[in-house]
Amino acid sequence: MSKIMAVMNRELRAYFYSPVGYIVIAVFLVLGGIFFGLMDFDANRPAEMRNVMFWLAGVLVFLIPVITMRLVSEEMSRGTIESLMTAPVTDAQVILGKFFSAVAFFLILLAPTLSYAVVLAVFAEPDWGPIAAGYLGLVLIGVLFLSIGLLASCCTRSQIVSAFVPFVFLGIMTFLCRFLTFHLDGLPRDLLRYVGFLTRYENFGKGVVSLNDVVFFLSLTVLALFLSVKILESRKWRGIRG
Amino acid sequence: MIEVQDLTKYYGSRLAVDGVSFQVDEGEIVGLLGPNGAGKTTLIRMLTCFMPATSGRATVNGFDVFSQSLQVRQSVGYMPESVPLYEDMRVEEYLRFRGEIKGLGGDALRRRMGDAIERCQLSDRRRQIIATLSKGYRQRVGLAESLLGDPKVLILDEPTIGLDPGQIREARRLIQHLGERHTVLLSSHILHEVEQVCSRIVMISGGKLVADGPLSELRTGIGGQGTTLLEAAGDDAEGLKRAIGGLHGVKSVSAEKAEGDYTAFRIESQGEADVRQAVGELAVRRGWRVRELHTQRPTLEEFFIRKTAEQNLRGRAN
Ligand SMILES: Nc1ncnc2c1ncn2[C@@H]1O[C@H](COP(=O)(O)OP(=O)(O)O)[C@@H](O)[C@H]1O
Ligand SMILES: [Mg+2]
């Protein structure tokens, strides 16, 4: 456990060694603020954060790959993977440490958005149930995105590839799936509704927290983490030029 | 401490390490010597559990590198060839992180860090960002890192590569010190460096083991024969040549005119036989005036170069 903490600690600091961490935070807050201002902070509408959360999820599709791209790829391209993997840590400890650091960074990213809720509370009587549910959904979808980004980062030493691939994948799973549900019917539509990330996430935005959706996000997250550990293990068999 | 049995590694279809066996005993400083591309790094990476062997076995500190990888990694301090470090961290920060993932914490961690920093003379660079360190200091950080766990076994891959002569001398001194507390296996492609610090050499070339033994033994044992040169002036060169050829330990003699009225004899002797005294006495008894008499033995350098060349030829033939 303390080894996971050690890895997590180092990784979390690493976000702030380079400007990337600050840029991600800035972009997220600016976009979030814009959406909030445009859509939710409107005296003529009921006080809720449904729209802003919808758009924030969209922002995560391209921001999260930027958060996760360096996690393992950078170790491979710089050769530090060699000292990391020859230290007495297990592959699972490395993956979990890195994953938790990304989650912590993500929570730091989200924290300031609580101020939107505070603003709502000052000027109106928001309905807290849906807001809390929305946050839960946002955290769950974000954590899933992070685990998918981490998985991609384990597959390549190129940070560009490990940002681009999950970006495309998440874009398909989130927006394309949702788009297609409007144009299909029957079984394909039900299937896409079932696997589409956004469809699931929207339930939270409506204030509906179903165990089904929670389990969906969490189990996919665990699956991505499991695959990450397996890929890290298998890389040793192929050998990495350090 | 380290036992390697028939270790083999293929990269795809390319054979990088070919059935190597050797052993390192407690307290030894052993040099893994071989030209570039010999397979030193590959061998070391198998010993440090970075990659598995294709076949063969290895144990470090009694633990199997394959089935007890975590214990091996716990008891080995390893400095990889390129000394990969997290560039953005400060020296102290980096060492703390590395100590933590080696399972250290609290007082023990502080003590070990202090000890490693002191032994590697990094006290004045504690707060410096690693990216701004010179090559020599980076090497020291790598070394300090490998010492953190107070490991029984230290494995250093080309610890002096890329250093200037002054730094090399310092690194050498440091490594010699390390030998007092740890069993050390270090690799190098420079014979001279290995000769300076190691008591024993394991030489590989083209992935194969070509020599293994204490330095002194290798020095005398390698050539198998020496060449003795005699330059003298006198009568009946043919007679003297025949007489020398009859001496015990002499394999062959050739004679050739040198400048003046001197004759130069080249005497090949067998094994470690020292024929100088017998040759000298014989020449004087026959009334020759001796002006030079000495024996040349092939140096380790020549041996190293010859072995390397042989392996290259074989490699090309395959
Ligand atoms: N990851 C790898 N993939 C393919 N070939 C490799 C890899 N690493 C090393 N080799 C090859 O294996 C041989 C031995 O390399 P190496 O162990 O690095 O030698 P040394 O450390 O003695 O210079 C070389 O021919 C090298 O090109
Ligand atoms: Mg090498």
Side-chain angles (χ1 to χ4, degrees):
Chain A
M1 196 61 208
S2 64
K3 292 185 182 178
I4 297 178
M5 288 292 292
V7 175
M8 173 182 158
N9 218 321
R10 193 211 89 77
E11 294 296 329
L12 193 55
R13 282 169 185 232
Y15 281 118
F16 299 100
Y17 290 142
S18 78
V20 174
Y22 298 102
I23 292 173
V24 167
I25 291 179
V27 168
F28 183 77
L29 291 183
V30 167
L31 289 179
I34 290 173
F35 296 142
F36 179 70
L38 285 182
M39 279 167 288
D40 288 274
F41 199 53
D42 182 338
N44 305 322
R45 286 209 252 161
E48 57 174 43
M49 289 179 66
R50 202 152 117 192
N51 284 318
V52 74
M53 296 224 259
F54 172 87
W55 285 104
L56 284 185
V59 172
L60 292 185
V61 166
F62 68 87
L63 273 193
I64 286 207
V66 177
I67 296 176
T68 55
M69 64 183 186
R70 47 159 290 279
L71 284 175
V72 181
S73 300
E74 188 177 61
E75 304 255 13
M76 293 199 270
S77 62
R78 294 216 180 155
T80 47
I81 189 91
E82 185 163 1
S83 28
L84 186 63
M85 301 316 285
T86 53
V89 282
T90 63
D91 298 334
Q93 284 170 332
V94 169
I95 290 296
L96 286 180
K98 285 177 179 283
F99 173 66
F100 289 145
S101 80
V103 170
F105 181 81
F106 174 61
L107 294 180
I108 292 172
L109 195 66
L110 279 190
T113 65
L114 288 173
S115 64
Y116 305 152
V118 172
V119 172
L120 276 182
V122 169
F123 290 94
E125 292 258 296
D127 190 353
W128 290 111
I131 290 181
Y135 265 105
L136 178 64
L138 196 59
V139 169
L140 284 173
I141 201 172
V143 164
L144 172 60
F145 285 10
L146 289 170
S147 67
I148 290 171
L150 174 58
L151 173 59
S153 188
C154 290
C155 297
T156 168
R157 56 192 302 164
S158 155
Q159 291 193 45
I160 297 191
V161 174
S162 71
F164 189 72
V165 170
F167 166 68
V168 171
F169 177 75
L170 295 176
I172 291 173
M173 291 307 290
T174 308
F175 292 107
L176 191 63
C177 279
R178 152 71 168 250
F179 175 77
L180 288 177
T181 53
F182 295 142
H183 298 272
L184 294 170
D185 42 29
L187 186 65
R189 189 189 59 193
D190 294 343
L191 203 67
L192 287 177
R193 275 226 180 108
Y194 186 79
V195 300
F197 294 166
L198 197 59
T199 337
R200 296 264 177 185
Y201 169 68
E202 274 176 339
N203 295 339
F204 290 92
K206 292 175 198 150
V208 182
V209 177
S210 80
L211 189 62
N212 191 320
D213 294 331
V214 173
V215 169
F216 174 83
F217 282 122
L218 286 184
S219 54
L220 283 184
T221 303
V222 171
L223 177 67
L225 291 178
F226 175 77
L227 290 178
S228 302
V229 173
K230 288 294 151 196
I231 289 198
L232 202 59
E233 273 172 8
S234 77
R235 294 222 61 129
K236 292 197 229 172
W237 301 90
R238 273 176 258 154
I240 307 157
R241 204 78 168 109
Chain B
M1 281 279 118
I2 301 178
E3 261 187 71
V4 177
Q5 272 169 35
D6 225 5
L7 211 59
T8 299
K9 176 74 185 181
Y10 279 91
Y11 289 113
S13 64
R14 182 197 200 120
L15 184 57
V17 171
D18 185 3
V20 170
S21 306
F22 66 91
Q23 195 172 324
V24 178
D25 293 325
E26 182 150 12
E28 277 189 304
I29 304 185
V30 172
L32 181 61
L33 180 67
N36 284 321
K40 305 181 293 293
T41 299
T42 305
L43 187 64
I44 282 175
R45 283 177 166 177
M46 293 189 281
L47 292 180
T48 52
C49 310
F50 185 56
M51 44 170 73
T54 308
S55 66
R57 261 171 53 83
T59 61
V60 178
N61 215 359
F63 300 114
D64 187 281
V65 296
F66 186 75
S67 59
Q68 296 169 300
S69 150
L70 214 57
Q71 287 98 317
V72 169
R73 288 182 273 157
Q74 188 75 57
S75 60
V76 171
Y78 171 41
M79 185 167 90
E81 181 169 7
S82 52
V83 199
L85 303 169
Y86 294 114
E87 303 287 325
D88 304 314
M89 295 180 103
R90 294 178 195 282
V91 170
E92 209 172 33
E93 222 179 358
Y94 175 70
L95 292 178
R96 180 165 309 114
F97 164 65
R98 293 296 302 185
E100 282 169 1
I101 64 172
K102 288 178 185 205
L104 295 170
D107 262 357
L109 175 58
R110 223 164 302 127
R111 219 173 34 245
R112 290 279 175 69
M113 274 176 63
D115 183 44
I117 285 174
E118 193 196 323
R119 285 170 82 187
C120 299
Q121 294 163 20
L122 281 165
S123 309
D124 53 337
R125 301 296 159 112
R126 283 166 171 266
R127 303 287 305 149
Q128 195 164 334
I129 290 177
I130 289 173
T132 66
L133 289 176
S134 69
K135 177 84 186 149
Y137 271 102
R138 293 175 61 95
Q139 217 84 0
R140 289 194 212 174
V141 174
L143 212 52
E145 190 279 322
S146 67
L147 294 175
L148 279 176
D150 198 19
K152 289 227 172 97
V153 179
L154 274 180
I155 298 183
L156 313 172
D157 196 358
E158 308 242 11
T160 53
I161 202 168
L163 298 183
D164 66 39
Q167 292 170 326
I168 288 178
R169 193 164 340 120
E170 225 170 277
R172 203 185 291 147
R173 210 175 38 77
L174 192 57
I175 291 165
Q176 261 159 347
H177 267 300
L178 298 180
E180 294 160 13
R181 266 162 68 174
H182 312 267
T183 302
V184 183
L185 176 67
L186 66 89
S187 79
S188 175
H189 62 281
I190 301 164
L191 171 72
H192 177 67
E193 279 179 13
V194 175
E195 268 183 310
Q196 305 264 332
V197 285
C198 302
S199 50
R200 203 152 69 75
I201 289 185
V202 172
M203 198 186 289
I204 61 172
S205 181
K208 281 200 174 63
L209 186 86
V210 292
D212 174 6
L215 261 179
S216 51
E217 217 171 85
L218 283 184
R219 279 206 192 93
T220 54
I222 39 174
Q225 57 174 300
T227 306
T228 303
L229 240 109
L230 170 71
E231 266 190 42
D235 295 329
D236 188 16
E238 261 312 302
L240 181 59
K241 185 182 153 192
R242 234 173 298 123
I244 292 173
L247 286 175
H248 180 72
V250 172
K251 220 161 64 179
S252 65
V253 198
S254 64
E256 144 186 340
K257 282 222 57 68
E259 79 274 25
D261 48 0
Y262 284 88
T263 309
F265 298 89
R266 282 179 72 86
I267 304 148
E268 306 287 343
S269 54
Q270 274 160 344
E272 291 183 40
D274 187 349
V275 297
R276 281 174 300 182
Q277 193 181 345
V279 169
E281 279 169 3
L282 183 68
V284 170
R285 218 180 312 130
R286 290 190 157 230
W288 283 61
R289 283 167 288 129
V290 175
R291 75 167 181 192
E292 188 175 353
L293 175 60
H294 73 270
T295 297
Q296 294 172 332
R297 294 206 174 269
T299 61
L300 211 48
E301 186 81 39
E302 284 163 341
F303 175 71
F304 178 45
I305 290 167
R306 201 178 71 223
K307 281 295 181 188
T308 309
E310 277 172 17
Q311 208 57 53
N312 279 347
L313 280 181
R314 223 172 291 157
R316 228 166 281 146
N318 290 348

